[in-house]
Amino acid sequence: MFFGWFDAIFSFIFPILFLLFIGMFFFALISNLRTWNKNNHSPRLTVPATVVAKRTDVSHSSSANAGDMSGAHGYDTSTFTSYYVAFQVESGDRMEFEVDGSDYGLLMQGDIGKLSFQGTRYLGFERS
């Protein structure tokens, strides 16, 4: 008796959750493609700028070893760090770009130079 009721609920909920997951996947894919296309069609600009701030975003992920969700075999933990640098241009506007770790390490707050970018894509910074 219980399983008949459970099957009825499951056969209703599962397709909705599946379609929701597929919809979120395609939304993210299309959004990323639109950003990529917009950046490719934006002009490459080089403007005088100052480094005004730096920040990192660290994310952690854990997964069970050997596919054992109980954790009896331990967990693998991985860490991913994203690096961001904010620049201020002559007009007073500030722009923040995601940069790779080597650029992040070379840039210091207060550095003055020429910022190169294309849309929301960071291309480089050359100190003056």
Side-chain angles (χ1 to χ4, degrees), residues 29-107:
L29 179 68
I30 290 169
S31 177
N32 287 335
L33 286 174
R34 288 180 68 188
T35 300
W36 176 80
N37 188 43
K38 182 180 176 189
N39 284 341
N40 284 344
H41 287 90
S42 296
R44 291 178 179 227
L45 299 174
T46 301
V47 297
T50 304
V51 176
V52 292
K54 295 170 54 174
R55 70 178 179 93
T56 59
D57 182 27
V58 180
S59 58
H60 305 279
S61 174
S62 294
S63 60
N65 287 336
D68 181 11
M69 296 310 291
S70 70
H73 298 290
Y75 288 93
D76 283 331
T77 302
S78 58
T79 303
F80 181 75
T81 305
S82 298
Y83 301 95
Y84 299 92
V85 178
F87 298 91
Q88 184 168 335
V89 295
E90 287 181 330
S91 67
D93 292 334
R94 291 185 179 202
M95 296 179 281
E96 184 178 63
F97 295 98
E98 185 172 1
V99 300
D100 61 25
S102 59
D103 284 337
Y104 182 86
L106 292 173
L107 295 172

